[in-house]
Amino acid sequence: MEAFPNAKVILTERDPKKWYLSVKNSILYWYLEAHKWPMSLVNSSRVTQFRDMFHKGADGLPHEKDGVFGSTQVSKEKAIKFYEEWNAEVKRTVPKERLFVFRVQEGWEPLCKFLDVPVPNEPFPNANAGGTIKKVVRIQKAKAWAMVLSVPLMVGGVAYAAWKWFS
């Protein structure tokens, strides 16, 4: 709030157990897979930015073991505690007139009213429906493997062509 004192803040709340499962099976899954070889070769800067954003505690400072990823990897209970403490901290520090506690099931209307914008004439999006992240990770893995395997094949092909040409 210090950097942007007039900002409107949207806090998305949901059932803590469902939140935990969602994090575990989406952004945490992607984050852990992105560190594995060969995906780590193509994801390094994006993964670092992502890690830095999510390895923070309720005070906004880095807490590698206690942030979203750290707590989720430790236990369900620790993750839910982090989530509930984070939400409480946001509610405590953001002035009520600038805070909107949003539940996705409510759709566009209350969100647009808070932001003072017109309601879109389309259904409220649900981009992270079950399995979407895992599908994206599979595609990223295939691309990473294709990149890794294509380099030696190209070098080998050029070396073979050169050998044939000069022999």
Side-chain angles (χ1 to χ4, degrees):
M1 292 307 318
E2 290 176 28
F4 300 99
N6 297 319
K8 291 183 175 184
V9 176
I10 301 168
L11 175 65
T12 304
E13 278 194 333
R14 61 189 297 191
D15 175 85
K17 292 174 185 166
K18 289 180 181 177
W19 171 85
Y20 166 76
L21 289 173
S22 175
V23 167
K24 185 178 175 195
N25 294 315
S26 61
I27 60 173
L28 178 65
Y29 174 78
W30 176 82
Y31 173 75
L32 294 174
E33 291 297 315
H35 278 86
K36 294 178 183 173
W37 194 86
M39 284 181 59
S40 59
L41 299 173
V42 294
N43 285 327
S44 61
S45 66
R46 189 180 313 155
V47 173
T48 300
Q49 290 172 340
F50 197 69
R51 180 204 61 220
D52 292 347
M53 181 174 67
F54 280 96
H55 275 278
K56 297 185 187 299
D59 57 7
L61 300 172
H63 292 279
E64 196 140 326
K65 293 183 177 143
D66 298 323
V68 172
F69 293 153
S71 64
T72 304
Q73 290 176 76
V74 172
S75 72
K76 180 178 180 177
E77 292 74 25
K78 186 167 176 102
I80 289 174
K81 182 177 185 238
F82 169 83
Y83 175 76
E84 290 173 339
E85 287 175 357
W86 176 268
N87 287 354
E89 181 69 10
V90 170
K91 290 174 183 176
R92 188 183 68 73
T93 57
V94 177
K96 289 186 185 347
E97 67 277 4
R98 291 202 305 273
L99 175 64
F100 177 59
V101 179
F102 181 58
R103 287 164 193 81
V104 177
Q105 305 89 313
E106 296 171 350
W108 288 119
E109 287 78 18
L111 179 61
C112 292
K113 181 180 178 186
F114 175 72
L115 295 173
D116 197 29
V117 297
V119 176
N121 194 16
E122 57 187 70
F124 193 81
N126 186 5
N128 289 335
T132 303
I133 297 286
K134 290 185 178 184
K135 215 178 281 185
V136 168
V137 168
R138 281 194 301 273
I139 292 167
Q140 286 182 333
K141 280 183 186 179
K143 287 180 180 179
W145 276 109
M147 240 177 63
V148 167
L149 296 174
S150 66
V151 172
L153 288 173
M154 286 190 302
V155 170
V158 169
Y160 179 75
W163 174 68
K164 283 293 206 183
W165 180 270
F166 293 109
S167 50

